[in-house]
Amino acid sequence: MVSLELSRRAVLRGTGAFLGAGSSLTSGEGRAASTEKWLDSYMDTRVTVNGEEYRFRHEARITLLDLLREEIGLTGTKKGCNEGACGACTVLLDGQRINGCLTLFASCNGRSITTVEGLASPEGKLHSVQQAFIDHDAFQCGYCTPGQILSAIACIKEGHTGSDVEIAEWMSGNICRCAAYPQIVAAVRQAAKEG
Ligand code: FES
Ligand code: FES
């Protein structure tokens, strides 16, 4: 972690020097300095995660995904591509599905987050979407499954379950490398029917 920070700063310094080699030496150095200052800054953020309140003083650049996994220990939310392409990191932010890897934690201040760990009842009864995934065998390795389930909950709430084609379209942001797509669609269809 420390070495990563140092290497990013070294790159930024190098970028500033490179920009300075042309005609705008001062503005190049200024840009590098202000970006470096931002990397060094800390912020205070308060969130509710699965009904529990947390406060963090954190690096400004940390993503919601990294904070959930590394600081709170909620590793059910998965890191796949880390660039918004696979949906493995899907969580609900104030009830809406988002990619945790593309969301700065600082932007979540005062908001409510739901991860896969927060879906079952306190007594251990599974959420209807979790149960539907089991009923339809809608996973193989399971890596994409938490993201699929959170996305499915939002998909149903959004009302995008009129047909299998519609479900597949509105679940298309969640990639399954095991190709369990027919079973996933069947699970979403069942959960949508159950309400
Ligand atoms: Fe966030 Fe792939 S890990 S979309
Ligand atoms: Fe393996 Fe979806 S179950 S990636």
Side-chain angles (χ1 to χ4, degrees):
M1 181 65 181
V2 171
S3 63
L4 181 60
E5 281 184 37
L6 288 173
S7 104
R8 282 187 183 169
R9 282 172 198 154
V11 168
L12 286 163
R13 284 194 191 100
T15 305
F18 172 75
L19 290 169
S23 58
S24 57
L25 175 66
T26 308
S27 63
E29 283 179 343
R31 272 195 296 273
S34 86
T35 309
E36 203 171 326
K37 193 172 166 197
W38 183 81
L39 286 175
D40 282 338
S41 66
Y42 278 76
M43 304 187 76
D44 294 299
T45 300
R46 178 182 57 81
V47 289
T48 302
V49 181
N50 299 333
E52 265 190 66
E53 199 168 304
Y54 295 86
R55 288 169 194 269
F56 286 99
R57 185 159 183 76
H58 59 92
E59 288 179 297
R61 63 184 165 188
I62 193 167
T63 64
L64 173 58
L65 173 62
D66 283 343
L67 188 122
L68 288 171
R69 291 180 55 86
E70 309 298 333
E71 303 297 329
I72 306 185
L74 293 173
T75 54
T77 307
K78 301 304 184 202
K79 183 181 279 189
C81 63
N82 204 28
E83 58 183 29
C86 74
C89 62
T90 305
V91 295
L92 302 182
L93 182 64
D94 290 340
Q96 302 218 313
R97 50 182 163 173
I98 53 138
N99 288 331
C101 71
L102 294 184
T103 305
L104 282 173
F105 181 63
S107 71
C108 301
N109 190 36
R111 304 180 75 181
S112 178
I113 295 145
T114 304
T115 72
V116 72
E117 291 91 343
L119 296 180
S121 73
E123 300 74 40
K125 185 174 186 309
L126 294 179
H127 187 284
S128 58
V129 175
Q130 290 175 305
Q131 188 58 56
F133 268 64
I134 291 172
D135 293 347
H136 289 273
D137 212 7
F139 46 83
Q140 289 180 44
C141 77
Y143 198 81
C144 72
T145 310
Q148 300 278 4
I149 288 172
L150 270 299
S151 202
I153 290 170
C155 180
I156 293 166
K157 191 171 148 209
E158 292 158 13
H160 298 306
T161 55
S163 67
D164 285 1
V165 172
E166 188 180 10
I167 292 170
E169 173 67 22
W170 286 88
M171 290 294 292
S172 61
N174 292 78
I175 307 297
C176 176
R177 288 165 182 82
C178 300
Y181 296 114
Q183 296 93 325
I184 291 169
V185 168
V188 177
R189 192 195 320 124
Q190 173 185 309
K193 269 195 199 131
E194 289 171 358

